[in-house]
Amino acid sequence: MKKLVSTLAVATSLVVAGFAANAADDAVKIALVHGLSGSTFEAFSKQSHTGFKLGLEYATDGTMKINGRDIEIIEKDTQFKPDVARAVLAEAYGDDDVLIAVGGTSSGVTKGMLPIAEEYERILLVEPAVADSLTGPDSNRYVFKTSRNSSMDMQAQALALKPGPDLHVATLAEDYAFGKDGIAAFKKAMEGTGATIVAEEYVPLKTTDFTAAAERMFAALKDKEGRKVILIYVAGGGDPMGKIKSMQPERYGIEISTGGHILPVLPTYKRVPGMEGAIYYYYENPSNPVNDWLVAEHTKRFGSPPDFFTAGGMAAGLAVAKALQSTDDWTTENLIAAMEGMSWETPKGQMTFRPEDHQALQSMYHFKIKVDDNVDWAIPELVREIKSDEMQIPVGRNNQE
């Protein structure tokens, strides 16, 4: 009898272990494919990862389960190198068997990841990379994008500048997909307004000396009648606004305008009180339950409010959760069908995946810089919310053809 009981106990333990193994194998796997080393953009990636996990937590009421299945997150480091990004994304799809991948950080690196999603016929959710081209002709039906795009940045920036015949603008951007797509979008937004683009300057990534570019922009603007603005569209470091401001553009009546940025950069905006521009997210601007939760939880856990890309990561996590909750059969085709045209709530309010190119349509925020000596950074105080239907965002790739 003792031998029989012992045998049954062993058998039972093996069955339980088998169930546990099956449950683990049944977890839905999601890869976060971002640059975690090798660039100043690492901070963007880390914010995105934090936000993504908070999004899943919010969507699942803290259980981190969807339809009874655990969520397993696998992190991959692209090192901000296109060849590494392609390799680790292929590894995620092929070896790790992830259902969905989320990435990347740099637009130039992310562009090289698009064909891998098509090759493996798995979804790539782009966050936080920005360039319009990521949902453009070289993209494919497996690519969705929760991050804003260059056209949103620049349509909103143009609205904030209130363009008219008396406005003359010189632009400064980095010489890669983010910068080029951004300036192209800005020029498109200015069409028909009467405003004039008098110069375009492109600088290499990691540029720290903007003297020559600034002098050329000064020369192009200084003799113009009316309002004269240098528009800066630079994602990296180098402090172009500070360097150009130190050259005293005001002696020619030239203003500086740029979009919003992450909290560690906003202290530099104290040099331009009253400057107006457009921002993707600042924690005090949206008013909705999701953002209220994010601000409260992030402040409680990390001792600081959520930042620019934390909100974007949360929007991506909420999108993944909504798609998975929409169907019990998690095939790629079912998920694509669920996500095309899908609307969901985010810290920025409602977003919607446009069926034609899978770009998430969303609001932007017109701000005016306020300086408060009791706050470490300049405050991009809300002027007004710019809703997606106010912006003419061009369709990239037509996935409906």
Side-chain angles (χ1 to χ4, degrees):
M1 178 62 71
K2 288 181 179 178
K3 184 176 180 181
L4 177 60
V5 170
S6 176
T7 301
L8 288 172
V10 170
T12 301
S13 68
L14 289 173
V15 169
V16 170
F19 279 135
N22 288 337
D25 290 343
D26 204 34
V28 56
K29 296 179 181 179
I30 300 168
L32 300 181
V33 186
H34 296 91
L36 300 173
S37 60
S39 171
T40 56
F41 292 167
E42 291 170 30
F44 301 174
S45 303
K46 291 171 183 175
Q47 288 181 18
S48 294
H49 284 203
T50 297
F52 187 84
K53 293 168 186 176
L54 287 171
L56 292 179
E57 180 181 337
Y58 183 89
T60 63
D61 294 323
T63 66
M64 298 299 280
K65 291 178 182 287
I66 294 178
N67 296 354
R69 293 169 62 177
D70 290 328
I71 302 167
E72 180 182 348
I73 295 175
I74 299 171
E75 295 187 1
K76 301 286 186 179
D77 183 6
T78 70
Q79 301 174 37
F80 294 95
K81 298 175 182 177
D83 56 337
V84 174
R86 291 191 290 270
V88 297
L89 181 58
E91 180 182 81
Y93 289 140
D95 297 344
D96 300 318
D97 195 29
V98 303
L99 182 65
I100 297 170
V102 182
T105 311
S106 161
S107 293
V109 172
T110 305
K111 196 169 182 178
M113 295 163 60
L114 307 183
I116 306 301
E118 187 170 36
E119 178 184 345
Y120 282 88
E121 298 183 347
R122 300 282 177 91
I123 289 171
L124 172 63
L125 182 60
V126 175
E127 177 66 47
V130 172
D132 280 6
S133 54
L134 298 173
T135 52
D138 294 331
S139 188
N140 58 75
R141 63 190 296 269
Y142 301 98
V143 176
F144 288 77
K145 190 165 177 285
T146 49
S147 53
R148 93 281 187 192
N149 66 13
S150 302
S151 287
M152 293 176 190
D153 274 350
M154 289 309 185
Q155 289 272 347
Q157 191 73 20
L159 288 168
L161 286 175
K162 306 178 187 71
D166 67 334
L167 178 63
H168 307 280
V169 182
T171 64
L172 175 69
E174 289 163 313
D175 194 11
Y176 77 115
F178 171 83
K180 289 184 174 179
D181 284 9
I183 299 308
F186 182 72
K187 290 164 66 178
K188 183 72 175 175
M190 299 297 263
E191 287 180 2
T193 67
T196 306
I197 310 293
V198 300
E200 296 175 42
E201 291 288 335
Y202 296 94
V203 295
L205 283 166
K206 300 182 180 179
T207 293
T208 57
D209 185 355
F210 299 92
T211 305
E215 287 177 345
R216 288 191 293 268
M217 290 188 290
F218 288 179
L221 284 167
K222 65 181 184 180
D223 295 326
K224 300 296 183 184
E225 295 291 333
R227 190 177 175 205
K228 296 170 280 195
V229 177
I230 289 176
L231 174 70
I232 300 172
Y233 193 59
V234 173
D239 190 21
M241 182 168 65
K243 302 288 178 56
I244 295 171
K245 182 69 174 171
S246 70
M247 296 173 66
Q248 298 180 310
E250 62 273 12
R251 61 197 159 110
Y252 300 118
I254 297 171
E255 307 171 35
I256 293 175
S257 182
T258 190
H261 218 302
I262 62 174
L263 293 176
V265 177
L266 286 181
T268 67
Y269 284 49
K270 287 194 171 187
R271 294 169 294 198
V272 286
M275 184 190 78
E276 295 188 49
I279 193 169
Y280 166 76
Y281 173 84
Y282 179 67
Y283 70 96
E284 291 183 327
N285 290 348
S287 179
N288 60 70
V290 181
N291 192 55
D292 291 345
W293 183 90
L294 173 61
V295 172
E297 285 298 314
H298 196 281
T299 303
K300 180 173 70 176
R301 299 182 196 189
F302 305 106
S304 63
D307 210 341
F308 211 83
F309 296 109
T310 316
M314 186 174 186
L318 291 165
V320 168
K322 177 73 177 287
L324 294 174
Q325 290 163 347
S326 298
T327 176
D328 291 326
D329 186 3
W330 291 342
T331 65
T332 297
E333 290 304 317
N334 280 350
L335 290 173
I336 290 174
M339 292 171 74
E340 287 186 338
M342 182 181 84
S343 295
W344 74 104
E345 296 303 319
T346 80
K348 295 180 62 179
Q350 188 176 88
M351 291 187 185
T352 301
F353 282 127
R354 184 165 55 183
E356 291 82 2
D357 61 359
H358 300 171
Q359 170 64 54
L361 301 179
Q362 57 199 273
S363 293
M364 298 287 286
Y365 303 94
H366 176 182
F367 69 82
K368 185 174 183 177
I369 289 298
K370 173 185 175 183
V371 175
D372 183 337
D373 291 339
N374 296 315
V375 179
D376 290 340
W377 51 81
I379 300 167
E381 191 172 41
L382 181 66
V383 175
R384 70 182 188 93
E385 180 179 355
I386 301 172
K387 294 187 176 292
S388 61
D389 59 7
E390 294 183 60
M391 298 178 280
Q392 303 300 314
I393 308 303
V395 174
R397 173 187 171 84
N398 191 340
N399 289 292
Q400 303 306 297
E401 291 178 352

